[in-house]
PDB file of all heavy atoms in Angstrom:
ATOM      1  N   THR A   1     -29.042 -48.900 -22.027  1.00  0.00           N
ATOM      2  CA  THR A   1     -28.228 -48.429 -23.154  1.00  0.00           C
ATOM      3  C   THR A   1     -28.098 -46.911 -23.169  1.00  0.00           C
ATOM      4  O   THR A   1     -27.010 -46.383 -23.413  1.00  0.00           O
ATOM      5  CB  THR A   1     -28.847 -48.882 -24.499  1.00  0.00           C
ATOM      6  OG1 THR A   1     -29.135 -50.273 -24.405  1.00  0.00           O
ATOM      7  CG2 THR A   1     -27.892 -48.663 -25.627  1.00  0.00           C
ATOM      8  N   GLY A   2     -29.179 -46.204 -22.935  1.00  0.00           N
ATOM      9  CA  GLY A   2     -29.143 -44.728 -23.039  1.00  0.00           C
ATOM     10  C   GLY A   2     -28.080 -44.093 -22.162  1.00  0.00           C
ATOM     11  O   GLY A   2     -27.301 -43.249 -22.629  1.00  0.00           O
ATOM     12  N   ALA A   3     -28.009 -44.505 -20.922  1.00  0.00           N
ATOM     13  CA  ALA A   3     -26.994 -43.941 -20.003  1.00  0.00           C
ATOM     14  C   ALA A   3     -25.578 -44.268 -20.462  1.00  0.00           C
ATOM     15  O   ALA A   3     -24.677 -43.415 -20.356  1.00  0.00           O
ATOM     16  CB  ALA A   3     -27.222 -44.456 -18.579  1.00  0.00           C
ATOM     17  N   ILE A   4     -25.394 -45.449 -21.008  1.00  0.00           N
ATOM     18  CA  ILE A   4     -24.066 -45.857 -21.488  1.00  0.00           C
ATOM     19  C   ILE A   4     -23.675 -45.069 -22.744  1.00  0.00           C
ATOM     20  O   ILE A   4     -22.581 -44.543 -22.818  1.00  0.00           O
ATOM     21  CB  ILE A   4     -24.043 -47.367 -21.757  1.00  0.00           C
ATOM     22  CG1 ILE A   4     -24.236 -48.133 -20.439  1.00  0.00           C
ATOM     23  CG2 ILE A   4     -22.747 -47.783 -22.417  1.00  0.00           C
ATOM     24  CD1 ILE A   4     -24.411 -49.630 -20.602  1.00  0.00           C
ATOM     25  N   ILE A   5     -24.583 -44.974 -23.699  1.00  0.00           N
ATOM     26  CA  ILE A   5     -24.281 -44.280 -24.943  1.00  0.00           C
ATOM     27  C   ILE A   5     -24.055 -42.781 -24.719  1.00  0.00           C
ATOM     28  O   ILE A   5     -23.108 -42.195 -25.198  1.00  0.00           O
ATOM     29  CB  ILE A   5     -25.379 -44.516 -26.006  1.00  0.00           C
ATOM     30  CG1 ILE A   5     -25.335 -45.981 -26.467  1.00  0.00           C
ATOM     31  CG2 ILE A   5     -25.244 -43.579 -27.173  1.00  0.00           C
ATOM     32  CD1 ILE A   5     -26.464 -46.397 -27.379  1.00  0.00           C
ATOM     33  N   LYS A   6     -24.943 -42.156 -23.949  1.00  0.00           N
ATOM     34  CA  LYS A   6     -24.861 -40.716 -23.708  1.00  0.00           C
ATOM     35  C   LYS A   6     -23.736 -40.359 -22.768  1.00  0.00           C
ATOM     36  O   LYS A   6     -23.299 -39.212 -22.719  1.00  0.00           O
ATOM     37  CB  LYS A   6     -26.182 -40.202 -23.125  1.00  0.00           C
ATOM     38  CG  LYS A   6     -27.341 -40.245 -24.131  1.00  0.00           C
ATOM     39  CD  LYS A   6     -28.619 -39.810 -23.455  1.00  0.00           C
ATOM     40  CE  LYS A   6     -29.783 -40.051 -24.395  1.00  0.00           C
ATOM     41  NZ  LYS A   6     -31.070 -39.833 -23.714  1.00  0.00           N
ATOM     42  N   ASN A   7     -23.284 -41.338 -21.978  1.00  0.00           N
ATOM     43  CA  ASN A   7     -22.260 -41.103 -20.941  1.00  0.00           C
ATOM     44  C   ASN A   7     -22.706 -39.971 -19.990  1.00  0.00           C
ATOM     45  O   ASN A   7     -21.909 -39.124 -19.608  1.00  0.00           O
ATOM     46  CB  ASN A   7     -20.906 -40.787 -21.570  1.00  0.00           C
ATOM     47  CG  ASN A   7     -19.735 -40.957 -20.579  1.00  0.00           C
ATOM     48  OD1 ASN A   7     -19.827 -41.781 -19.649  1.00  0.00           O
ATOM     49  ND2 ASN A   7     -18.708 -40.192 -20.762  1.00  0.00           N
ATOM     50  N   GLU A   8     -23.980 -39.973 -19.668  1.00  0.00           N
ATOM     51  CA  GLU A   8     -24.543 -38.963 -18.791  1.00  0.00           C
ATOM     52  C   GLU A   8     -25.409 -39.625 -17.730  1.00  0.00           C
ATOM     53  O   GLU A   8     -26.413 -40.220 -18.103  1.00  0.00           O
ATOM     54  CB  GLU A   8     -25.392 -37.991 -19.630  1.00  0.00           C
ATOM     55  CG  GLU A   8     -25.889 -36.787 -18.894  1.00  0.00           C
ATOM     56  CD  GLU A   8     -24.768 -35.923 -18.289  1.00  0.00           C
ATOM     57  OE1 GLU A   8     -23.743 -35.699 -18.943  1.00  0.00           O
ATOM     58  OE2 GLU A   8     -24.941 -35.531 -17.135  1.00  0.00           O
ATOM     59  N   PRO A   9     -25.018 -39.610 -16.504  1.00  0.00           N
ATOM     60  CA  PRO A   9     -23.812 -39.032 -15.958  1.00  0.00           C
ATOM     61  C   PRO A   9     -22.566 -39.800 -16.408  1.00  0.00           C
ATOM     62  O   PRO A   9     -22.696 -40.982 -16.791  1.00  0.00           O
ATOM     63  CB  PRO A   9     -24.016 -39.122 -14.451  1.00  0.00           C
ATOM     64  CG  PRO A   9     -24.986 -40.226 -14.243  1.00  0.00           C
ATOM     65  CD  PRO A   9     -25.849 -40.280 -15.460  1.00  0.00           C
ATOM     66  N   PRO A  10     -21.441 -39.165 -16.315  1.00  0.00           N
ATOM     67  CA  PRO A  10     -20.197 -39.820 -16.752  1.00  0.00           C
ATOM     68  C   PRO A  10     -19.912 -41.102 -15.963  1.00  0.00           C
ATOM     69  O   PRO A  10     -20.290 -41.228 -14.810  1.00  0.00           O
ATOM     70  CB  PRO A  10     -19.103 -38.794 -16.438  1.00  0.00           C
ATOM     71  CG  PRO A  10     -19.811 -37.481 -16.269  1.00  0.00           C
ATOM     72  CD  PRO A  10     -21.199 -37.815 -15.830  1.00  0.00           C
ATOM     73  N   ILE A  11     -19.294 -42.013 -16.620  1.00  0.00           N
ATOM     74  CA  ILE A  11     -18.959 -43.317 -16.014  1.00  0.00           C
ATOM     75  C   ILE A  11     -18.218 -43.122 -14.708  1.00  0.00           C
ATOM     76  O   ILE A  11     -18.492 -43.809 -13.733  1.00  0.00           O
ATOM     77  CB  ILE A  11     -18.158 -44.180 -16.988  1.00  0.00           C
ATOM     78  CG1 ILE A  11     -19.063 -44.576 -18.175  1.00  0.00           C
ATOM     79  CG2 ILE A  11     -17.560 -45.402 -16.340  1.00  0.00           C
ATOM     80  CD1 ILE A  11     -18.321 -45.198 -19.340  1.00  0.00           C
ATOM     81  N   SER A  12     -17.327 -42.151 -14.643  1.00  0.00           N
ATOM     82  CA  SER A  12     -16.559 -41.903 -13.396  1.00  0.00           C
ATOM     83  C   SER A  12     -17.516 -41.563 -12.240  1.00  0.00           C
ATOM     84  O   SER A  12     -17.278 -41.986 -11.108  1.00  0.00           O
ATOM     85  CB  SER A  12     -15.535 -40.801 -13.595  1.00  0.00           C
ATOM     86  OG  SER A  12     -16.179 -39.591 -14.006  1.00  0.00           O
ATOM     87  N   SER A  13     -18.578 -40.830 -12.501  1.00  0.00           N
ATOM     88  CA  SER A  13     -19.552 -40.488 -11.469  1.00  0.00           C
ATOM     89  C   SER A  13     -20.342 -41.737 -11.022  1.00  0.00           C
ATOM     90  O   SER A  13     -20.573 -41.911  -9.824  1.00  0.00           O
ATOM     91  CB  SER A  13     -20.565 -39.453 -11.971  1.00  0.00           C
ATOM     92  OG  SER A  13     -19.937 -38.239 -12.198  1.00  0.00           O
ATOM     93  N   LEU A  14     -20.698 -42.588 -11.972  1.00  0.00           N
ATOM     94  CA  LEU A  14     -21.403 -43.820 -11.636  1.00  0.00           C
ATOM     95  C   LEU A  14     -20.535 -44.701 -10.735  1.00  0.00           C
ATOM     96  O   LEU A  14     -21.003 -45.248  -9.744  1.00  0.00           O
ATOM     97  CB  LEU A  14     -21.800 -44.587 -12.905  1.00  0.00           C
ATOM     98  CG  LEU A  14     -22.761 -43.872 -13.868  1.00  0.00           C
ATOM     99  CD1 LEU A  14     -22.985 -44.731 -15.073  1.00  0.00           C
ATOM    100  CD2 LEU A  14     -24.046 -43.505 -13.204  1.00  0.00           C
ATOM    101  N   ILE A  15     -19.273 -44.835 -11.119  1.00  0.00           N
ATOM    102  CA  ILE A  15     -18.348 -45.663 -10.323  1.00  0.00           C
ATOM    103  C   ILE A  15     -18.150 -45.088  -8.929  1.00  0.00           C
ATOM    104  O   ILE A  15     -18.103 -45.822  -7.945  1.00  0.00           O
ATOM    105  CB  ILE A  15     -17.009 -45.820 -11.068  1.00  0.00           C
ATOM    106  CG1 ILE A  15     -17.207 -46.634 -12.349  1.00  0.00           C
ATOM    107  CG2 ILE A  15     -15.944 -46.458 -10.190  1.00  0.00           C
ATOM    108  CD1 ILE A  15     -16.063 -46.549 -13.333  1.00  0.00           C
ATOM    109  N   ALA A  16     -18.049 -43.777  -8.853  1.00  0.00           N
ATOM    110  CA  ALA A  16     -17.840 -43.120  -7.559  1.00  0.00           C
ATOM    111  C   ALA A  16     -19.050 -43.227  -6.627  1.00  0.00           C
ATOM    112  O   ALA A  16     -18.908 -43.233  -5.426  1.00  0.00           O
ATOM    113  CB  ALA A  16     -17.493 -41.645  -7.770  1.00  0.00           C
ATOM    114  N   GLN A  17     -20.253 -43.308  -7.209  1.00  0.00           N
ATOM    115  CA  GLN A  17     -21.461 -43.291  -6.404  1.00  0.00           C
ATOM    116  C   GLN A  17     -22.045 -44.698  -6.081  1.00  0.00           C
ATOM    117  O   GLN A  17     -22.920 -44.807  -5.262  1.00  0.00           O
ATOM    118  CB  GLN A  17     -22.552 -42.489  -7.137  1.00  0.00           C
ATOM    119  CG  GLN A  17     -22.221 -41.027  -7.289  1.00  0.00           C
ATOM    120  CD  GLN A  17     -22.153 -40.304  -5.945  1.00  0.00           C
ATOM    121  OE1 GLN A  17     -23.070 -40.410  -5.145  1.00  0.00           O
ATOM    122  NE2 GLN A  17     -21.069 -39.620  -5.675  1.00  0.00           N
ATOM    123  N   SER A  18     -21.564 -45.715  -6.768  1.00  0.00           N
ATOM    124  CA  SER A  18     -22.168 -47.023  -6.624  1.00  0.00           C
ATOM    125  C   SER A  18     -21.137 -48.102  -6.348  1.00  0.00           C
ATOM    126  O   SER A  18     -20.065 -48.112  -6.954  1.00  0.00           O
ATOM    127  CB  SER A  18     -22.927 -47.354  -7.908  1.00  0.00           C
ATOM    128  OG  SER A  18     -23.477 -48.642  -7.838  1.00  0.00           O
ATOM    129  N   GLU A  19     -21.513 -49.044  -5.505  1.00  0.00           N
ATOM    130  CA  GLU A  19     -20.640 -50.173  -5.213  1.00  0.00           C
ATOM    131  C   GLU A  19     -20.567 -51.140  -6.392  1.00  0.00           C
ATOM    132  O   GLU A  19     -19.559 -51.779  -6.599  1.00  0.00           O
ATOM    133  CB  GLU A  19     -21.141 -50.929  -3.992  1.00  0.00           C
ATOM    134  CG  GLU A  19     -20.993 -50.146  -2.690  1.00  0.00           C
ATOM    135  CD  GLU A  19     -21.517 -50.920  -1.497  1.00  0.00           C
ATOM    136  OE1 GLU A  19     -21.337 -52.135  -1.473  1.00  0.00           O
ATOM    137  OE2 GLU A  19     -22.088 -50.304  -0.622  1.00  0.00           O
ATOM    138  N   SER A  20     -21.652 -51.211  -7.183  1.00  0.00           N
ATOM    139  CA  SER A  20     -21.737 -52.199  -8.215  1.00  0.00           C
ATOM    140  C   SER A  20     -22.506 -51.650  -9.425  1.00  0.00           C
ATOM    141  O   SER A  20     -23.552 -51.024  -9.255  1.00  0.00           O
ATOM    142  CB  SER A  20     -22.436 -53.454  -7.681  1.00  0.00           C
ATOM    143  OG  SER A  20     -22.643 -54.393  -8.678  1.00  0.00           O
ATOM    144  N   LEU A  21     -21.975 -51.871 -10.623  1.00  0.00           N
ATOM    145  CA  LEU A  21     -22.671 -51.520 -11.866  1.00  0.00           C
ATOM    146  C   LEU A  21     -22.975 -52.816 -12.594  1.00  0.00           C
ATOM    147  O   LEU A  21     -22.073 -53.627 -12.784  1.00  0.00           O
ATOM    148  CB  LEU A  21     -21.769 -50.640 -12.754  1.00  0.00           C
ATOM    149  CG  LEU A  21     -21.272 -49.321 -12.135  1.00  0.00           C
ATOM    150  CD1 LEU A  21     -20.279 -48.659 -13.086  1.00  0.00           C
ATOM    151  CD2 LEU A  21     -22.425 -48.394 -11.817  1.00  0.00           C
ATOM    152  N   VAL A  22     -24.235 -53.000 -12.994  1.00  0.00           N
ATOM    153  CA  VAL A  22     -24.617 -54.220 -13.720  1.00  0.00           C
ATOM    154  C   VAL A  22     -25.465 -53.897 -14.935  1.00  0.00           C
ATOM    155  O   VAL A  22     -26.129 -52.848 -14.983  1.00  0.00           O
ATOM    156  CB  VAL A  22     -25.366 -55.227 -12.818  1.00  0.00           C
ATOM    157  CG1 VAL A  22     -24.519 -55.715 -11.693  1.00  0.00           C
ATOM    158  CG2 VAL A  22     -26.658 -54.656 -12.293  1.00  0.00           C
ATOM    159  N   THR A  23     -25.442 -54.781 -15.893  1.00  0.00           N
ATOM    160  CA  THR A  23     -26.340 -54.690 -17.059  1.00  0.00           C
ATOM    161  C   THR A  23     -26.499 -56.067 -17.621  1.00  0.00           C
ATOM    162  O   THR A  23     -25.890 -57.038 -17.158  1.00  0.00           O
ATOM    163  CB  THR A  23     -25.819 -53.696 -18.127  1.00  0.00           C
ATOM    164  OG1 THR A  23     -26.906 -53.375 -19.008  1.00  0.00           O
ATOM    165  CG2 THR A  23     -24.642 -54.241 -18.882  1.00  0.00           C
ATOM    166  N   VAL A  24     -27.320 -56.181 -18.638  1.00  0.00           N
ATOM    167  CA  VAL A  24     -27.573 -57.462 -19.320  1.00  0.00           C
ATOM    168  C   VAL A  24     -26.756 -57.522 -20.598  1.00  0.00           C
ATOM    169  O   VAL A  24     -26.438 -56.462 -21.180  1.00  0.00           O
ATOM    170  CB  VAL A  24     -29.089 -57.682 -19.603  1.00  0.00           C
ATOM    171  CG1 VAL A  24     -29.854 -57.763 -18.293  1.00  0.00           C
ATOM    172  CG2 VAL A  24     -29.651 -56.614 -20.499  1.00  0.00           C
ATOM    173  N   PRO A  25     -26.447 -58.705 -21.100  1.00  0.00           N
ATOM    174  CA  PRO A  25     -25.632 -58.802 -22.333  1.00  0.00           C
ATOM    175  C   PRO A  25     -26.229 -58.050 -23.526  1.00  0.00           C
ATOM    176  O   PRO A  25     -25.491 -57.476 -24.311  1.00  0.00           O
ATOM    177  CB  PRO A  25     -25.586 -60.306 -22.600  1.00  0.00           C
ATOM    178  CG  PRO A  25     -25.827 -60.954 -21.266  1.00  0.00           C
ATOM    179  CD  PRO A  25     -26.742 -60.008 -20.517  1.00  0.00           C
ATOM    180  N   ALA A  26     -27.546 -58.024 -23.650  1.00  0.00           N
ATOM    181  CA  ALA A  26     -28.179 -57.380 -24.793  1.00  0.00           C
ATOM    182  C   ALA A  26     -27.872 -55.896 -24.862  1.00  0.00           C
ATOM    183  O   ALA A  26     -27.814 -55.316 -25.958  1.00  0.00           O
ATOM    184  CB  ALA A  26     -29.691 -57.592 -24.756  1.00  0.00           C
ATOM    185  N   ILE A  27     -27.660 -55.247 -23.728  1.00  0.00           N
ATOM    186  CA  ILE A  27     -27.374 -53.819 -23.701  1.00  0.00           C
ATOM    187  C   ILE A  27     -26.036 -53.522 -24.347  1.00  0.00           C
ATOM    188  O   ILE A  27     -25.906 -52.596 -25.148  1.00  0.00           O
ATOM    189  CB  ILE A  27     -27.415 -53.269 -22.258  1.00  0.00           C
ATOM    190  CG1 ILE A  27     -28.835 -53.439 -21.671  1.00  0.00           C
ATOM    191  CG2 ILE A  27     -26.960 -51.826 -22.187  1.00  0.00           C
ATOM    192  CD1 ILE A  27     -29.961 -52.806 -22.461  1.00  0.00           C
ATOM    193  N   ILE A  28     -25.036 -54.322 -24.024  1.00  0.00           N
ATOM    194  CA  ILE A  28     -23.701 -54.116 -24.637  1.00  0.00           C
ATOM    195  C   ILE A  28     -23.807 -54.386 -26.164  1.00  0.00           C
ATOM    196  O   ILE A  28     -23.189 -53.656 -26.940  1.00  0.00           O
ATOM    197  CB  ILE A  28     -22.664 -55.034 -23.982  1.00  0.00           C
ATOM    198  CG1 ILE A  28     -22.545 -54.704 -22.483  1.00  0.00           C
ATOM    199  CG2 ILE A  28     -21.304 -54.924 -24.670  1.00  0.00           C
ATOM    200  CD1 ILE A  28     -22.193 -53.290 -22.134  1.00  0.00           C
ATOM    201  N   SER A  29     -24.613 -55.368 -26.556  1.00  0.00           N
ATOM    202  CA  SER A  29     -24.786 -55.679 -27.977  1.00  0.00           C
ATOM    203  C   SER A  29     -25.444 -54.546 -28.745  1.00  0.00           C
ATOM    204  O   SER A  29     -25.236 -54.419 -29.954  1.00  0.00           O
ATOM    205  CB  SER A  29     -25.637 -56.952 -28.146  1.00  0.00           C
ATOM    206  OG  SER A  29     -25.035 -58.016 -27.509  1.00  0.00           O
ATOM    207  N   GLU A  30     -26.246 -53.727 -28.063  1.00  0.00           N
ATOM    208  CA  GLU A  30     -26.944 -52.607 -28.734  1.00  0.00           C
ATOM    209  C   GLU A  30     -26.002 -51.457 -29.100  1.00  0.00           C
ATOM    210  O   GLU A  30     -26.382 -50.588 -29.880  1.00  0.00           O
ATOM    211  CB  GLU A  30     -28.062 -52.074 -27.848  1.00  0.00           C
ATOM    212  CG  GLU A  30     -29.236 -52.992 -27.735  1.00  0.00           C
ATOM    213  CD  GLU A  30     -30.383 -52.428 -26.922  1.00  0.00           C
ATOM    214  OE1 GLU A  30     -30.167 -51.452 -26.158  1.00  0.00           O
ATOM    215  OE2 GLU A  30     -31.489 -52.943 -27.036  1.00  0.00           O
ATOM    216  N   ILE A  31     -24.800 -51.430 -28.551  1.00  0.00           N
ATOM    217  CA  ILE A  31     -23.867 -50.344 -28.829  1.00  0.00           C
ATOM    218  C   ILE A  31     -23.133 -50.621 -30.116  1.00  0.00           C
ATOM    219  O   ILE A  31     -22.280 -51.497 -30.194  1.00  0.00           O
ATOM    220  CB  ILE A  31     -22.887 -50.141 -27.658  1.00  0.00           C
ATOM    221  CG1 ILE A  31     -23.651 -49.856 -26.361  1.00  0.00           C
ATOM    222  CG2 ILE A  31     -21.888 -49.044 -27.945  1.00  0.00           C
ATOM    223  CD1 ILE A  31     -22.819 -49.905 -25.117  1.00  0.00           C
ATOM    224  N   ARG A  32     -23.505 -49.865 -31.154  1.00  0.00           N
ATOM    225  CA  ARG A  32     -22.956 -50.136 -32.502  1.00  0.00           C
ATOM    226  C   ARG A  32     -21.907 -49.091 -32.906  1.00  0.00           C
ATOM    227  O   ARG A  32     -21.027 -49.385 -33.686  1.00  0.00           O
ATOM    228  CB  ARG A  32     -24.094 -50.128 -33.508  1.00  0.00           C
ATOM    229  CG  ARG A  32     -25.170 -51.167 -33.154  1.00  0.00           C
ATOM    230  CD  ARG A  32     -25.808 -51.789 -34.345  1.00  0.00           C
ATOM    231  NE  ARG A  32     -26.991 -52.589 -34.132  1.00  0.00           N
ATOM    232  CZ  ARG A  32     -27.121 -53.638 -33.353  1.00  0.00           C
ATOM    233  NH1 ARG A  32     -26.146 -54.001 -32.607  1.00  0.00           N
ATOM    234  NH2 ARG A  32     -28.244 -54.313 -33.291  1.00  0.00           N
ATOM    235  N   ASP A  33     -21.999 -47.900 -32.405  1.00  0.00           N
ATOM    236  CA  ASP A  33     -21.075 -46.820 -32.761  1.00  0.00           C
ATOM    237  C   ASP A  33     -19.663 -47.173 -32.263  1.00  0.00           C
ATOM    238  O   ASP A  33     -19.466 -47.492 -31.103  1.00  0.00           O
ATOM    239  CB  ASP A  33     -21.539 -45.506 -32.107  1.00  0.00           C
ATOM    240  CG  ASP A  33     -20.546 -44.381 -32.266  1.00  0.00           C
ATOM    241  OD1 ASP A  33     -20.284 -44.000 -33.414  1.00  0.00           O
ATOM    242  OD2 ASP A  33     -20.036 -43.924 -31.236  1.00  0.00           O
ATOM    243  N   ALA A  34     -18.685 -47.127 -33.173  1.00  0.00           N
ATOM    244  CA  ALA A  34     -17.325 -47.567 -32.863  1.00  0.00           C
ATOM    245  C   ALA A  34     -16.694 -46.736 -31.716  1.00  0.00           C
ATOM    246  O   ALA A  34     -16.051 -47.294 -30.839  1.00  0.00           O
ATOM    247  CB  ALA A  34     -16.449 -47.447 -34.115  1.00  0.00           C
ATOM    248  N   ALA A  35     -16.895 -45.439 -31.722  1.00  0.00           N
ATOM    249  CA  ALA A  35     -16.293 -44.589 -30.690  1.00  0.00           C
ATOM    250  C   ALA A  35     -16.911 -44.918 -29.329  1.00  0.00           C
ATOM    251  O   ALA A  35     -16.192 -45.005 -28.324  1.00  0.00           O
ATOM    252  CB  ALA A  35     -16.499 -43.110 -31.025  1.00  0.00           C
ATOM    253  N   THR A  36     -18.220 -45.076 -29.292  1.00  0.00           N
ATOM    254  CA  THR A  36     -18.888 -45.398 -28.029  1.00  0.00           C
ATOM    255  C   THR A  36     -18.472 -46.774 -27.535  1.00  0.00           C
ATOM    256  O   THR A  36     -18.159 -46.969 -26.357  1.00  0.00           O
ATOM    257  CB  THR A  36     -20.431 -45.331 -28.187  1.00  0.00           C
ATOM    258  OG1 THR A  36     -20.797 -44.036 -28.638  1.00  0.00           O
ATOM    259  CG2 THR A  36     -21.143 -45.638 -26.896  1.00  0.00           C
ATOM    260  N   ARG A  37     -18.419 -47.745 -28.457  1.00  0.00           N
ATOM    261  CA  ARG A  37     -18.007 -49.092 -28.093  1.00  0.00           C
ATOM    262  C   ARG A  37     -16.576 -49.059 -27.515  1.00  0.00           C
ATOM    263  O   ARG A  37     -16.314 -49.721 -26.510  1.00  0.00           O
ATOM    264  CB  ARG A  37     -18.080 -50.025 -29.314  1.00  0.00           C
ATOM    265  CG  ARG A  37     -17.769 -51.472 -28.938  1.00  0.00           C
ATOM    266  CD  ARG A  37     -18.044 -52.421 -30.034  1.00  0.00           C
ATOM    267  NE  ARG A  37     -19.381 -52.945 -30.134  1.00  0.00           N
ATOM    268  CZ  ARG A  37     -19.987 -53.681 -29.228  1.00  0.00           C
ATOM    269  NH1 ARG A  37     -19.370 -53.936 -28.106  1.00  0.00           N
ATOM    270  NH2 ARG A  37     -21.183 -54.160 -29.386  1.00  0.00           N
ATOM    271  N   SER A  38     -15.683 -48.310 -28.127  1.00  0.00           N
ATOM    272  CA  SER A  38     -14.308 -48.208 -27.629  1.00  0.00           C
ATOM    273  C   SER A  38     -14.277 -47.608 -26.234  1.00  0.00           C
ATOM    274  O   SER A  38     -13.584 -48.104 -25.357  1.00  0.00           O
ATOM    275  CB  SER A  38     -13.463 -47.376 -28.615  1.00  0.00           C
ATOM    276  OG  SER A  38     -12.188 -47.199 -28.087  1.00  0.00           O
ATOM    277  N   ARG A  39     -15.055 -46.515 -26.002  1.00  0.00           N
ATOM    278  CA  ARG A  39     -15.107 -45.884 -24.698  1.00  0.00           C
ATOM    279  C   ARG A  39     -15.651 -46.860 -23.667  1.00  0.00           C
ATOM    280  O   ARG A  39     -15.074 -46.985 -22.572  1.00  0.00           O
ATOM    281  CB  ARG A  39     -15.992 -44.645 -24.754  1.00  0.00           C
ATOM    282  CG  ARG A  39     -16.170 -43.951 -23.389  1.00  0.00           C
ATOM    283  CD  ARG A  39     -17.020 -42.704 -23.422  1.00  0.00           C
ATOM    284  NE  ARG A  39     -18.249 -42.789 -24.164  1.00  0.00           N
ATOM    285  CZ  ARG A  39     -19.381 -43.369 -23.725  1.00  0.00           C
ATOM    286  NH1 ARG A  39     -19.405 -43.929 -22.531  1.00  0.00           N
ATOM    287  NH2 ARG A  39     -20.468 -43.368 -24.466  1.00  0.00           N
ATOM    288  N   VAL A  40     -16.694 -47.573 -23.996  1.00  0.00           N
ATOM    289  CA  VAL A  40     -17.286 -48.537 -23.074  1.00  0.00           C
ATOM    290  C   VAL A  40     -16.295 -49.636 -22.753  1.00  0.00           C
ATOM    291  O   VAL A  40     -16.104 -50.009 -21.590  1.00  0.00           O
ATOM    292  CB  VAL A  40     -18.580 -49.126 -23.678  1.00  0.00           C
ATOM    293  CG1 VAL A  40     -19.061 -50.361 -22.896  1.00  0.00           C
ATOM    294  CG2 VAL A  40     -19.677 -48.046 -23.686  1.00  0.00           C
TER     295      VAL A  40
END
């Protein structure tokens, strides 16, 4: 959750550096802030 909420490093960097990004459903559920949820 921390990396997703803080956007640090930026999502674009994660995508550029990794073939695959994964997480568990509970992590997405933990994002409550509307702006962060929209960005995600």
Side-chain angles (χ1 to χ4, degrees):
T1 312
I4 295 172
I5 290 173
K6 292 176 187 170
N7 197 30
E8 188 58 43
I11 292 168
S12 58
S13 294
L14 298 177
I15 293 166
Q17 295 295 308
S18 177
E19 292 179 36
S20 175
L21 302 174
V22 297
T23 196
V24 297
I27 297 304
I28 300 302
S29 300
E30 288 183 343
I31 301 169
R32 304 213 191 303
D33 172 63
T36 302
R37 185 170 272 297
S38 176
R39 176 179 46 79
V40 167

